[in-house]
């Protein structure tokens, strides 16, 4: 039987899991109890029996192999293998054992007998699964059982079938790597040759014996058959989706066919191109088939998780994604999944460690097809508007990820599944994360838009932190690959690994569908190409030939701008930054950028503006949420869309603020973060959904109803209480005690007294449980009565922007007087000096978080000389200011 030129992309194992298994209970075929000897198998009643291996298997059995380990993972890196291996023969030596050179001639091996040192025997996936089954099952990481074909079997199949010379001859033509049409033709010819060649007799015999062992001979027993290559899942090359996976494989005949297709998939167009581009010799890569038991995840959910943030490389979080049905929709990028971030330090303390969540559209799901295989169907409205995993499940998954990461000693890319029948979670694959974890420590690459205010055409989930631009080319099919030119912006409904030969040529990538853990995202990161996935309707919003700019440098949300806009790229090798005479903190308000900025040298966040979280993550006036039942139909529809997944308007407001603050706090934990409570002006509040009916028209909102004046006013009392409930949640049940609060625009001493009473009334008493309450010193009255104000606060955070404006009596938003705005004006500096001296006299904290030190390093130097404790800078000013102060 000839294989088609385009094989369906079914790589994921996330639909594969272990039915009826708990830490000590195993109720079905194909599983090995952790406490049993590795050669033991079990029956459907979980009773142990003698090994159910064929005579052929027993005759071949030899002790476990141990190839060279890399980075503590035990995975042999083949990168650059051509320089270190003998070129005497084109025949692969992958079947030779690393210890002693003895050959292991088994053609199938039970997963429970494998370790991660067996990559050369059974490939990366099978070796990793065997490692987890044997080493992690009894610590709460359940993994499906099964078996793997071997590299020896694959090599023997190619040798005895006379296929090797045919393959080597076809792939020796270097022109195929530059001509997509030639590559497709050659790939098909090789796959057809493999599929037309029958398996050797002894291999078929052992394949059936292993199928019988795991399935108990039940023709309705279902497997996932996945590829496991000897050069994949390495620390520096993922090979994500380069070969095939087949789901819901039923019966021996079907399994045999799928194993054959897996063998052929070593030569998909994408796999040939990927290996060539990364320097792997085709003849030295062997392919094995991992055969695992499936579970009913089509009635549950599945997804992917990483033990670090994939975009920034921030290592203190687990990034979890999920969607309904089989996991291929998440891995393949056909669905926009739900996303969560779990903070590892508070997870270890048993706290509510989910610091962020984003609901995906989840428009479809993959389910079993009657008689075997799978199909994609639309999800229901209820599924689209609910979380596909509970908070408890997300935390349980994160705990498993941490255990797996600890065992392997490096960040990991993990697939998981939840059985719809027993409701249990299972790990179905784990491999090294290959991009973020490989970034050079101390080197910062920064992309920044230079042209602001460009027209936004579309937006989606940003992959990476880069910016690209070029001419749009919309492709609807992989068959159009030859129409794509170097440097164009690839726009498609979705991409899969088959598109790799053109993805590497793209200046940027845009897709309607997909999440940040799908194949397209992983490959884009490896290639260093900016990509925005899950845009929804990008193919309708741009046209072929349009000039666009694709920005992934503005947080988790990526933006497509009209035209080729100017941007810059900076690369800084920090080296060793010396100590300077003050603490350098950061001004960060956007939680989407927090993990990236948190890796800059810093002493914490000196200004976290809460209004940024309210405006971007919530976008609704708090009064409108409190009075939700009175809203008109149109406004209520807008609010409903935003608060999907939350238990009502108040829950939405409180938890969204808590998630934003928690993300910011986690990014610098355990260093301090000073959160300025909401400081919207009335005109800014009015711009929120529902705000029109609650906000006054003020002539000068800058000095109007804002800050502390709102907090203590009966009109805003209930709104402010929700803010405080969120902060209390972050410091309490979420365990982020590094959060301090800052009160802005405190006009009078009475206000200072009253706001402390409001805080205490809402469970945030200054000094209790280590809570520090700071005041934003930004008014002349704060300067004149500095020592008196400090009786009510733990310190000053000087807001030099407003202090300059009010000291000099000008509107900083007015272009007519902008030339007079200077934070280095002698009157302003006199005020700064007074505030610093008062704080020092009282033994209180004093820092500055205005724009001045970011714009003027000489001002930062002067403040250091005055004895200020910290300057809080815009992130892009941290390194230049640090270097300036160090030189002086």
């Amino acid at each position: 039987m000839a294989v088609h030129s385009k094989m369906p992309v079914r790589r994921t194992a996330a639909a594969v899991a272990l039915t009826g298994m708990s830490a000590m209970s195993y109720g079905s075929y194909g599983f090995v109890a952790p406490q049993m000897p590795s050669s033991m198998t079990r029956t459907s009643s979980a009773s142990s029996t003698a090994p159910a291996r064929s005579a052929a298997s027993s005759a071949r059995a030899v002790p476990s192999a141990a190839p060279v380990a890399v980075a503590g993972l035990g995975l042999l890196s083949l990168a650059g293998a051509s320089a270190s291996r003998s070129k005497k023969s084109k025949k692969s030596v992958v079947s030779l054992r690393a210890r002693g050179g003895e050959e292991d001639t088994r053609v199938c091996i039970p997963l429970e007998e494998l370790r991660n040192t067996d990559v050369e025997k059974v490939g990366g996936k099978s070796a990793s699964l065997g490692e987890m089954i044997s080493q992690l099952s009894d610590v709460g990481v359940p993994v499906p059982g099964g078996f793997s074909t071997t590299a020896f079997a694959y090599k023997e199949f190619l040798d005895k079938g006379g296929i090797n010379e045919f393959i080597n001859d076809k792939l020796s033509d270097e022109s195929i790597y530059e001509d997509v049409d030639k590559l497709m033709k050659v790939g098909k010819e090789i796959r057809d040759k493999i599929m037309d060649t029958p398996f050797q007799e002894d291999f078929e015999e052992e394949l059936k014996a292993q199928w019988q062992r795991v399935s108990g001979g039940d023709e309705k027993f279902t497997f996932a058959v996945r590829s496991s290559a000897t050069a994949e899942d390495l620390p520096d090359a993922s090979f994500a989706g380069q070969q095939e996976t087949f789901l819901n494989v039923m019966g021996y005949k079907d399994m045999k066919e799928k194993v054959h297709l897996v063998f052929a998939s070593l030569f998909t167009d994408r796999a040939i191109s990927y290996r060539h581009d990364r320097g792997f010799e085709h003849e030295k890569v062997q392919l094995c088939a991992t055969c695992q038991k499936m579970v009913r995840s089509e009635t549950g959910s599945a997804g992917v998780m990483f033990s670090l943030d994939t975009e920034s490389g921030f290592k203190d979080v687990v990034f979890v994604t999920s969607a309904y049905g089989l996991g291929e929709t998440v891995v393949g990028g056909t669905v926009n999944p739900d996303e969560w971030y779990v903070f590892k330090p508070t997870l270890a303390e048993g706290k509510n460690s989910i610091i962020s969540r984003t609901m995906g559209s989840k428009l479809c799901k993959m389910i079993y097809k009657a008689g075997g295989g799978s199909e994609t169907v639309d999800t229901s409205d209820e599924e689209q508007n609910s979380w596909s995993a509970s908070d408890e499940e997300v935390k349980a998954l994160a705990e498993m990820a941490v255990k797996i990461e600890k065992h392997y000693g490096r960040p990991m890319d993990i697939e998981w599944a939840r059985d719809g029948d027993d409701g249990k979670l299972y790990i179905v694959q784990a491999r090294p994360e290959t991009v973020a974890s490989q970034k050079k420590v101390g080197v910062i690459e920064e992309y920044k838009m230079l042209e602001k205010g460009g027209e936004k055409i579309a937006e989606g989930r940003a992959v990476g932190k880069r910016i690209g631009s070029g001419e749009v080319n919309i492709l609807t099919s992989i068959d159009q690959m030859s129409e794509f030119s170097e440097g164009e912006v690839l726009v498609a409904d979705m991409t899969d690994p088959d598109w790799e030969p053109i993805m590497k040529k793209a200046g940027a990538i845009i897709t309607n569908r997909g999440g940040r853990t799908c194949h397209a995202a992983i490959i884009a990161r490896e290639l260093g190409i900016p990509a925005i996935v899950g845009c929804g309707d990008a193919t309708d919003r741009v046209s072929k030939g349009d000039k666009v700019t694709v920005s992934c440098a503005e947080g988790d949300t990526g933006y497509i701008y009209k035209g080729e806009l100017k941007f810059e790229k900076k690369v800084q090798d920090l080296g060793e930054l010396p100590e300077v005479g003050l603490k350098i903190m950061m001004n960060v308000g956007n939680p989407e950028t927090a993990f990236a900025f948190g890796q800059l040298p810093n002493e914490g966040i000196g200004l976290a503006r809460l209004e940024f979280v309210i405006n971007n993550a919530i976008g609704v006036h708090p009064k409108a949420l409190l009075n939700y039942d009175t809203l008109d139909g149109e406004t209520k529809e807008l609010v409903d869309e935003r608060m999907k997944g939350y238990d009502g308007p108040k829950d939405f407001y409180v938890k969204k603020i808590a998630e934003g603050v928690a993300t910011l706090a986690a990014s610098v934990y355990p260093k301090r973060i000073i959160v300025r409570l909401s400081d919207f002006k009335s005109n800014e509040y009015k711009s929120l959904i529902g705000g029109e009916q609650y906000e006054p028209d003020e002539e000068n909102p800058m000095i109007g109803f804002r800050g502390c004046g709102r907090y203590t006013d009966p009109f805003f009392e209930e709104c402010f209480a929700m803010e405080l409930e969120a902060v209390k949640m972050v410091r309490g049940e979420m365990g982020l005690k590094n959060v301090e609060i800052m009160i802005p625009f405190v006009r009078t001493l009475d206000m200072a007294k009253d706001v402390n009473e409001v805080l205490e009334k809402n469970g945030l008493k200054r000094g209790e449980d280590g809570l520090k309450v700071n005041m934003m010193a930004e008014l002349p009255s704060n300067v004149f009565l500095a020592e008196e104000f400090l009786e009510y606060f733990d310190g000053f955070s000087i807001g030099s922007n407003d202090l300059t404006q009010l000291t000099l009596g000008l509107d900083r938003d007015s272009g007519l007087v902008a030339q007079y705005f200077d934070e280095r004006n002698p009157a302003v500096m006199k005020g700064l000096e007074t505030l610093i001296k008062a704080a020092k006299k009282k033994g209180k904290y004093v820092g500055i978080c205005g724009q001045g030190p970011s714009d003027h390093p000489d001002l930062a130097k002067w403040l250091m000389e005055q004895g200020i404790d910290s300057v809080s800078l815009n992130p892009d000013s941290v390194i230049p200011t640090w270097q300036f102060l160090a030189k002086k």
Side-chain angles (χ1 to χ4, degrees), residues 819-838:
Q819 68 269 29
Y820 301 115
F821 188 92
D822 188 348
E823 296 179 45
R824 296 168 297 175
N825 181 281
V828 178
M829 293 179 74
K830 185 69 174 177
L832 297 175
E833 184 179 6
T834 300
L835 291 167
I836 294 169
K837 285 182 177 179

Side-chain angles (χ1 to χ4, degrees), residues 203-429:
F203 176 70
E204 282 200 38
E205 176 188 334
E206 182 62 12
L207 186 67
K208 188 165 187 177
Q210 288 296 326
W211 171 83
Q212 176 78 28
R213 179 185 71 86
V214 177
S215 69
D218 184 355
E219 286 289 333
K220 293 185 178 180
F221 188 95
T222 56
F223 286 85
V225 179
R226 301 185 292 124
S227 62
S228 180
T230 56
E232 73 173 357
D233 298 352
L234 303 174
D236 55 358
S238 71
F239 284 76
Q242 298 309 308
Q243 288 83 226
E244 303 293 1
T245 283
F246 299 96
L247 308 178
N248 198 28
V249 178
M250 194 180 299
Y252 171 69
K253 184 178 180 182
D254 194 20
M255 169 175 283
K256 175 186 167 184
E257 180 187 357
K258 296 306 188 292
V259 170
H260 212 155
L261 286 167
V262 163
F263 280 13
S265 74
L266 186 62
F267 299 98
T268 58
D269 309 336
R270 62 186 185 256
I272 295 169
S273 174
Y274 188 96
R275 288 194 300 273
H276 176 267
D277 291 346
R278 284 155 184 79
F280 292 88
E281 294 183 55
H282 298 293
E283 66 268 24
K284 292 184 178 180
V285 179
Q286 310 298 313
L287 196 61
C288 310
T290 308
C291 303
Q292 290 179 293
K293 183 185 187 300
M294 284 197 68
V295 298
R296 299 300 301 266
S297 60
E298 90 284 2
T299 57
S301 57
V304 179
M305 58 181 171
F306 287 80
S307 63
L308 83 176
D309 175 38
T310 54
E311 307 314 313
S312 67
F314 183 63
K315 294 184 178 180
D316 279 345
V317 290
V318 177
F319 178 43
V320 181
T321 65
S322 171
Y324 291 108
L326 306 181
E328 173 59 20
T329 56
V330 178
V331 179
T334 59
V335 71
N336 300 341
D338 298 329
E339 299 178 352
W340 297 262
Y341 281 101
V342 183
F343 189 47
K344 292 177 186 175
T346 51
L347 177 69
E349 295 171 359
K351 299 289 187 179
N352 178 9
S353 51
I354 297 176
I355 58 172
S356 174
R357 73 197 77 211
T358 302
M359 181 172 285
S361 57
K362 307 182 297 295
L363 297 178
C364 64
K365 64 180 178 180
M366 185 175 285
I367 61 173
Y368 285 175
K369 182 187 286 186
S374 59
E375 61 182 342
T376 301
V377 298
D378 293 340
T379 48
S380 65
D381 289 342
E382 182 182 355
E383 288 172 322
Q384 292 171 19
N385 294 315
S386 60
W387 300 104
S388 54
S390 68
D391 283 1
E392 290 307 311
E393 287 171 335
V394 170
K395 285 184 279 189
L397 286 166
E399 288 174 351
M400 294 182 198
V402 170
K403 291 173 182 176
I404 293 169
E405 179 183 61
K406 182 179 179 182
H407 179 76
Y408 283 98
R410 61 173 301 111
M412 299 294 287
D413 169 355
I414 303 160
E415 294 181 22
W416 64 272
R418 172 167 57 82
D419 186 289
D421 290 342
D422 66 18
K424 294 177 182 177
L425 301 168
Y426 304 98
I427 299 301
V428 294
Q429 184 173 314

Side-chain angles (χ1 to χ4, degrees), residues 230 277 312 330 333 339 352 372 387 410 412 438 444 478 481 501 576 579 615 643 647 692 757 772 808 830-831 877 888:
T230 56
D277 291 346
S312 67
V330 178
E339 299 178 352
N352 178 9
W387 300 104
R410 61 173 301 111
M412 299 294 287
Q438 299 298 305
I444 296 176
I478 193 174
M481 281 202 292
E576 290 293 326
E579 292 288 331
N615 187 56
M643 67 180 192
D647 297 330
E692 282 283 349
E757 292 175 355
K772 291 186 177 181
L808 300 179
K830 185 69 174 177
S877 298
K888 301 294 179 180

